[in-house]
Amino acid sequence: MTKIKDNTILVVFISLLLDLLAFTMILPLLPALLDYYKEIEDDQGLYFKILYYIQSARKFFNAPDKISTVLYGGFLGSMYSFLQFLGSPIIGALSDIYGRKPMMIFCLTGIALSYLLWALSCNFAIFVLARFVGGISKGNINLSMAIISDVTSPKTRGKAMVKYVKALVGIAFSIGFVAGPMIGAFFAWASSDNRQGSWYIVPAIFALLLAASDLFFVICNLRESLPVNSRSKNLVSSVSGILTYINPIDLFHFNGVSGLSLQDKKSLKTLGYAYFIYLFVYSGLEFTITFLTHYLFEFTSMQQGWMFLGIGLVMAILQGSWVRTIPSNKTKSVAELGLWLIIPAFVCIGFANDIFTLSVGLLLFAVSTAMVVTCMMTLVTRMGPNNQKGAITGVFRSLGALARACGPVVASSAFWCIGSKATYLTGAVCLILPPVILQTIKSL
């Protein structure tokens, strides 16, 4: 039986839940937000300075002018994830020296500041700054994983990481992605009569209140999980360790993990390639769904909120009732099935001309998403020695962050240049690779 110190796991769960509720609120609002900044900015604003260069390229690609905001969205999504990719290892390394709680407070303060800037974003430049501050501060999720690792005994750490990441942390993500977008959409709908004014202020302030509540909750309830005598004393070695989490070559070769057998290292590298390709394409196409429904189906923010609610409920039900109970010997086959299901999902979404076809695609999307990431992370935790489980999952999280940093801007650019149908079809073809690669691993 895994022994857990005090109530740290519960504190981490509540903190993650508050954070994810605030984080996901903006998802159904982003297309309307970008349209709003386009309407209110003058020719000297950042939006139109960037648009000047986009228009030159638009003529070359013969792209529709009305979907230019897709590029802005892709840039913001990739910038946020790229800053998270860079910032998380740095914050993690500093937490090895100064402790988990001070760095967690630092992250949550930055996140709260980003929502304050969003509430004050009377122009596009301030909104971009808000996303920048939020992205560079988003090291709290990795810190949460480190804290879970700290408070579990070394002998059972591998099993504990699987148990708590799949259970409490998974539940926090499910609730966050079910309720957060709906909350954001509700506030947008409630202020729809005032769309000519600063309608985004209400959801932004609510996100700020959630972030501030999270910050004060952590200050009052989180105990330091890393004893002073267990902290790193060498800043240079900690900084050099950061490089293994931001250097793509080191990531794909798992150079930051020691004590791996040749077979484990080969399997991890293969799984890493499959995971990266999947998340690169998936995150890009996932990001453009809100723009596709906004422009092609003319979804309002409220309708997009209902869409996210439906996706989140399907994922939560599957993860809570079935995915978490999948037998160990079936995990790989379920991951492969999920990887195959995402292909027809994106084909249906990309080629949908009616709500029924779109709904079928979104249902397959939700089912696949519920299966893939959880099962692949479970496969990851089976490899390597127990005292390296944290390092192995850390590398995978960095690979995932790198994929999410590249995917949105690439998919949004393709959406803008060649249209939604060609983009989704190309993505679906590329998604044949991950399950084929996964099938080559025989040791799982």
Side-chain angles (χ1 to χ4, degrees):
M1 184 72 179
T2 303
K3 294 183 179 179
I4 305 299
K5 300 176 184 176
D6 55 62
N7 63 342
T8 300
I9 298 293
L10 181 60
V11 173
V12 168
F13 167 74
I14 295 173
S15 175
L16 274 177
L17 181 57
L18 290 170
D19 174 65
L20 289 166
L21 285 172
F23 171 73
T24 55
M25 278 179 55
I26 199 173
L27 295 179
L29 306 179
L30 191 56
L33 269 171
L34 294 175
D35 286 344
Y36 168 78
Y37 291 117
K38 182 180 180 180
E39 291 173 4
I40 67 167
E41 291 233 325
D42 56 34
D43 293 344
Q44 301 303 311
L46 178 64
Y47 190 102
F48 281 96
K49 287 182 180 179
I50 298 174
L51 186 62
Y52 172 80
Y53 296 101
I54 291 177
Q55 294 289 16
S56 300
R58 183 184 68 81
K59 294 176 183 177
F60 178 79
F61 289 105
N62 195 30
D65 181 54
K66 73 172 185 176
I67 63 169
S68 293
T69 51
V70 178
L71 280 182
Y72 288 90
F75 160 74
L76 288 172
S78 286
M79 180 193 74
Y80 192 96
S81 294
F82 182 71
L83 290 168
Q84 185 178 357
F85 167 69
L86 290 180
S88 292
I90 296 172
I91 290 169
L94 291 175
S95 77
D96 289 338
I97 299 172
Y98 301 109
R100 311 296 189 205
K101 185 172 181 177
M103 297 313 301
M104 181 67 86
I105 292 172
F106 172 81
C107 288
L108 296 180
T109 301
I111 291 169
L113 177 60
S114 74
Y115 295 130
L116 176 61
L117 288 170
W118 177 23
L120 298 175
S121 58
C122 55
N123 57 53
F124 186 61
I126 298 177
F127 182 69
V128 172
L129 178 62
R131 300 302 288 170
F132 183 95
V133 172
I136 203 69
S137 304
K138 201 68 178 174
N140 61 311
I141 294 177
N142 275 12
L143 281 178
S144 297
M145 300 301 105
I147 291 168
I148 291 173
S149 180
D150 290 340
V151 299
T152 54
S153 64
K155 290 183 180 180
T156 55
R157 183 164 296 152
K159 292 181 180 178
M161 290 296 287
V162 175
K163 177 181 177 182
Y164 289 109
V165 169
K166 286 180 70 176
L168 288 179
V169 177
I171 292 169
F173 272 83
S174 295
I175 296 174
F177 278 85
V178 168
M182 203 64 209
I183 293 171
F186 172 78
F187 280 120
W189 170 79
S191 59
S192 58
D193 293 338
N194 189 34
R195 275 299 172 90
Q196 299 304 314
S198 302
W199 58 271
Y200 60 86
I201 289 179
V202 176
I205 289 178
F206 189 76
L208 173 60
L209 290 174
L210 286 173
S213 300
D214 190 8
L215 174 60
F216 286 115
F217 175 76
V218 165
I219 290 173
C220 296
N221 295 282
L222 182 66
R223 298 185 184 182
E224 178 55 58
S225 62
L226 187 65
V228 175
N229 58 3
S230 299
R231 297 178 189 177
S232 173
K233 303 296 190 296
N234 192 335
L235 181 61
V236 175
S237 66
S238 296
V239 170
S240 65
I242 293 171
L243 298 178
T244 63
Y245 288 94
I246 61 176
N247 183 334
I249 295 176
D250 285 333
L251 284 176
F252 282 109
H253 287 85
F254 286 81
N255 291 337
V257 183
S258 59
L260 289 175
S261 66
L262 290 177
Q263 182 61 52
D264 275 353
K265 190 160 190 175
K266 180 180 178 182
S267 297
L268 279 171
K269 287 167 65 175
T270 304
L271 192 58
Y273 287 127
Y275 186 64
F276 178 84
I277 295 170
Y278 164 76
L279 268 186
F280 172 75
V281 179
Y282 171 92
S283 65
L285 297 183
E286 175 196 36
F287 187 85
T288 62
I289 288 175
T290 53
F291 292 94
L292 182 143
T293 55
H294 180 70
Y295 290 113
L296 300 186
F297 290 90
E298 298 183 346
F299 274 18
T300 63
S301 295
M302 193 64 186
Q303 288 173 311
Q304 289 189 338
W306 284 112
M307 177 182 73
F308 280 109
L309 176 64
I311 292 171
L313 283 175
V314 171
M315 289 173 56
I317 291 170
L318 285 176
Q319 288 177 332
S321 63
W322 173 56
V323 174
R324 68 184 182 86
T325 64
I326 294 171
S328 179
N329 63 333
K330 299 290 185 182
T331 304
K332 181 171 177 283
S333 60
V334 171
E336 290 176 4
L337 176 60
L339 289 170
W340 286 116
L341 282 178
I342 199 64
I343 298 172
F346 282 133
V347 171
C348 288
I349 293 170
F351 284 81
N353 292 315
D354 55 74
I355 297 297
F356 176 77
T357 307
L358 177 66
S359 299
V360 170
L362 291 174
L363 176 61
L364 290 172
F365 170 85
V367 172
S368 170
T369 302
M371 297 161 67
V372 173
V373 174
T374 300
C375 288
M376 291 190 78
M377 288 304 293
T378 302
L379 293 176
V380 169
T381 57
R382 292 182 186 172
M383 302 183 200
N386 282 337
N387 63 354
Q388 288 291 296
K389 298 296 186 185
I392 292 170
T393 55
V395 170
F396 261 80
R397 286 195 298 271
S398 290
L399 280 173
L402 180 61
R404 289 186 178 278
C406 302
V409 72
V410 172
S412 298
S413 299
F415 189 106
W416 182 72
C417 293
I418 62 178
S420 58
K421 287 182 172 60
T423 298
Y424 278 76
L425 179 61
T426 303
V429 172
C430 292
L431 283 169
I432 295 173
L433 287 174
V436 171
I437 292 172
L438 187 59
Q439 285 177 344
T440 64
I441 305 177
K442 305 299 183 184
S443 60
L444 292 175

